[in-house]
Amino acid sequence: LLGGAARAPCGGRPAAMSHADMQRGDPPNILQVLGLQGKRENEDICGEYMRAGYHQGLPAYRKCGSNIAIRFMKASRRWLIDRKGLRDSEHCVAWAEAEASGPSWPSMGLAWKVWDSVAKEWVATPEVKTLDAPSVLSVFGRANDGLANQVNGEYQVAGMDNGRPLYRKSGSSRSVIRYLESEGRWLFSAGHHRENHCLAFAEGCSSPHPGYGNLQWNFLEEGGRWALDTAVRVMDVPSKCHVLAGKEAGSAPICGTYCLAGFTEGRPLYMRPGTQAVIRYSPSNDMWLIDLEALAEPGILGRFLQWMQRGETSQAKDTCTACAKANGSAHPGHLELEWCLFDPSKSRHFFDPNVRCVAAPEAISILGRAPGAENSDICGEYKLVGLHVGWPAYQKPNERAAVRYCPKARRWAIDREGLRDSDLCVAYAESAPGAQHPGRAFEWHVWDRSKSCFAVDAQISVSLVQEEALLPPAEAAKLARTRSEAEGEAAAKRRRFTTEVTQGQALLGA
């Protein structure tokens, strides 16, 4: 044992899939550019990129909060990373030859060359990768009485390790999910662990990132043995979803924040803290359901968890307060889902266009405008306050200033006059296709009174402020108790590990 961890058992490494085989299919909506973090030249090309249509016949991507783009040049058959955006030019910061038989988008198999201003030449930089990987992953299912229960929570992409994305737990500098190429495994470990020292592992050489619900996680248990925990899932779903309503909707009972509480039928289950409400998936109708009284009946939570584990959620009645056709969505927090609310007077559900369920941050911070500059007062924190024209809206506490969406222009606007239907604003940014909050907008333009026009301010950025995503301790404990009952008394009677392992766990959760 080493600091509450152990070496994963040796095993034959399965044959690795090629990068091309790993990333075939439709072009992703999000790409991560990783590899230059750490105050290196041109490190600004790293970050999250959103798909921005097509350029010269192939998908193009733009970095969030910036004009930096990844685009294809047909004449040279190269992928380019260019600070000047989507233009027809061979000028760029980095380039890579397109793969002859690879995907039709900039995949992880590309060999990038980055401009070196000192050497004044293009330098091969194998650590730079473009990865089809989510920015945030949610981990759930490890029982509170289990060893290494600190793995539960939200993880953000923080770099790259062994050619795959590295994820670090939000609010923690030590708990990570990393890839070990020599064994073809994903590992849960503390940041100081090396090689195959870990708290848990999953076979996954064919997975470009760990957010696939089919990975099977083996955890270190007492006595140094490894045991499969089938309840643990690492998935590309939000840890929270917000049910919001516009001013016109009389839907206050279902509105609020729902926290990730489990998985069923390959889909997440969300619970609203302090209430009996849940959002769950109905496989028989391919619908998302909001049930305000799902946990009202004594013992229903325990039975529901049993149905989840046995794959028998069809036994749960599909009664609900609101529902939306899932249309293949992985979670309910999609702005385009149309919700129908139950009308008791007519005993049926009716579509309500003023209700949406979104996976948006609870607050955002506008940063970067130089102090003393014109309109520098746009900086600050804005809270999620509801819907405006069907989109999430943010407002400064105790002020009128707001960040709102303009559907006609497809832009996010910062407006001192608050939530109004107007094209007038202080600053704006084009929204990335498919994005549902201003954290995924492109570069910001701020009004310049001296020039009577909007001017790009490349220093402005949007930081997402997300509060603790886990259920409150009392409700988490209740959920853990009922899960233990469903799993059987044996699983509920695990003994605590040695003092050394416990101390290691404290380090992991620090």
Side-chain angles (χ1 to χ4, degrees):
L1 297 178
L2 177 62
R7 291 187 182 276
C10 295
R13 185 179 187 276
M17 296 177 68
S18 69
H19 291 151
D21 289 337
M22 210 182 299
Q23 302 199 56
R24 294 200 183 277
D26 295 333
N29 289 324
I30 298 174
L31 283 179
Q32 306 291 337
V33 177
L34 303 171
L36 289 180
Q37 288 88 343
K39 296 184 179 180
R40 295 177 59 180
E41 183 183 14
N42 296 318
E43 69 170 339
D44 61 319
I45 67 174
C46 292
E48 182 181 74
Y49 288 69
M50 298 291 293
R51 189 172 168 184
Y54 288 81
H55 184 79
Q56 297 204 6
L58 291 182
Y61 294 82
R62 288 177 62 187
K63 185 181 177 182
C64 295
S66 168
N67 194 42
I68 301 175
I70 305 175
R71 55 183 175 82
F72 182 71
M73 285 299 292
K74 190 178 296 184
S76 59
R77 293 201 53 77
R78 289 174 174 174
W79 289 100
L80 280 60
I81 301 179
D82 186 5
R83 289 195 181 92
K84 299 295 183 180
L86 301 177
R87 57 174 178 164
D88 294 327
S89 171
E90 294 287 354
H91 287 85
C92 61
V93 182
W95 61 269
E97 300 284 356
E99 297 176 284
S101 59
S104 62
W105 48 275
S107 65
M108 66 186 293
L110 297 179
W112 289 93
K113 293 187 176 182
V114 182
W115 179 254
D116 187 322
S117 61
V118 176
K120 297 190 181 304
E121 63 178 355
W122 301 100
V123 177
T125 314
E127 60 268 32
V128 171
K129 296 292 182 184
T130 48
L131 304 177
D132 171 14
S135 301
V136 179
L137 293 174
S138 293
V139 178
F140 190 84
R142 188 64 176 164
N144 284 350
D145 64 341
L147 299 172
N149 57 35
Q150 297 94 337
V151 300
N152 292 337
E154 193 173 80
Y155 290 70
Q156 298 179 336
V157 67
M160 195 164 58
D161 193 14
N162 280 271
R164 306 282 173 94
L166 169 77
Y167 288 87
R168 192 177 304 279
K169 189 175 181 182
S170 301
S172 170
S173 61
R174 297 184 178 180
S175 181
V176 300
I177 307 175
R178 59 187 176 90
Y179 183 69
L180 184 62
E181 186 177 23
S182 61
E183 297 182 7
R185 288 170 168 168
W186 289 97
L187 311 177
F188 274 112
S189 69
H192 65 274
H193 290 155
R194 294 293 179 264
E195 295 301 325
N196 63 354
H197 283 88
C198 61
L199 296 168
F201 71 89
E203 306 292 347
C205 70
S206 62
S207 303
H209 63 79
Y212 291 88
N214 58 350
L215 294 184
Q216 300 293 303
W217 291 93
N218 298 271
F219 280 79
L220 179 64
E221 299 289 354
E222 58 180 291
R225 64 187 181 87
W226 296 91
L228 176 66
D229 191 336
T230 58
V232 174
R233 291 289 185 272
V234 181
M235 295 188 72
D236 178 15
V237 299
S239 58
K240 288 184 179 182
C241 285
H242 308 283
V243 178
L244 306 175
K247 297 178 180 179
E248 305 85 353
S251 52
I254 66 171
C255 290
T257 298
Y258 293 73
C259 297
L260 181 64
F263 295 93
T264 174
E265 304 290 346
R267 303 293 214 287
L269 168 76
Y270 292 87
M271 296 174 59
R272 188 169 150 204
T275 73
Q276 300 162 348
V278 303
I279 304 178
R280 66 178 180 87
Y281 177 70
S282 167
S284 58
N285 296 305
D286 185 33
M287 300 186 82
W288 290 104
L289 311 179
I290 300 178
D291 187 350
L292 294 182
E293 300 179 353
L295 309 181
E297 185 181 344
I300 188 65
L301 179 57
R303 290 202 298 276
F304 196 84
L305 288 169
Q306 288 180 336
W307 294 334
M308 287 169 58
Q309 291 173 344
R310 298 170 186 166
E312 299 172 353
T313 49
S314 58
Q315 295 185 31
K317 295 181 180 179
D318 282 350
T319 56
C320 62
T321 307
C323 59
K325 197 69 177 175
N327 297 325
S329 55
H331 61 82
H334 289 280
L335 201 59
E336 64 271 18
L337 296 183
E338 298 182 340
W339 289 89
C340 297
L341 274 60
F342 185 71
D343 186 339
S345 65
K346 298 181 180 178
S347 298
R348 57 171 296 188
H349 291 80
F350 289 91
F351 171 56
D352 190 335
N354 299 302
V355 174
R356 289 290 184 268
C357 182
V358 300
E362 288 149 304
I364 59 172
S365 287
I366 305 293
L367 309 168
R369 186 71 170 169
E374 182 184 8
N375 294 319
S376 61
D377 61 316
I378 64 175
C379 292
E381 186 169 288
Y382 296 73
K383 299 281 189 179
L384 181 64
V385 294
L387 291 181
H388 177 71
V389 296
W391 288 72
Y394 294 83
Q395 202 157 19
K396 277 190 175 183
N398 304 316
E399 293 186 28
R400 297 180 66 183
V403 181
R404 56 181 175 81
Y405 187 69
C406 302
K408 292 182 180 179
R410 297 181 181 178
R411 293 171 172 172
W412 289 96
I414 303 177
D415 188 358
R416 287 196 186 92
E417 299 303 318
L419 302 176
R420 56 174 178 166
D421 296 327
S422 172
D423 291 332
L424 297 175
C425 62
V426 181
Y428 73 86
E430 181 185 348
S431 177
Q436 54 185 13
H437 61 77
R440 283 180 170 163
F442 296 131
E443 62 183 356
W444 285 89
H445 301 72
V446 184
W447 179 253
D448 187 330
R449 185 168 48 186
S450 65
K451 298 178 181 178
S452 296
C453 67
F454 285 92
V456 172
D457 187 339
Q459 301 305 312
I460 292 181
S461 63
V462 178
S463 174
L464 309 186
V465 181
Q466 192 75 297
E467 297 176 5
E468 176 58 51
L470 300 177
L471 291 172
E475 298 194 29
K478 178 182 177 183
L479 190 65
R481 285 196 301 272
T482 52
R483 182 183 295 109
S484 296
E485 292 170 4
E487 291 173 348
E489 290 298 319
K493 294 180 180 179
R494 292 181 181 132
R495 297 193 304 273
R496 288 289 180 188
F497 208 177
T498 63
T499 303
E500 180 181 9
V501 173
T502 303
Q503 291 173 343
Q505 291 183 122
L507 283 173
L508 178 65

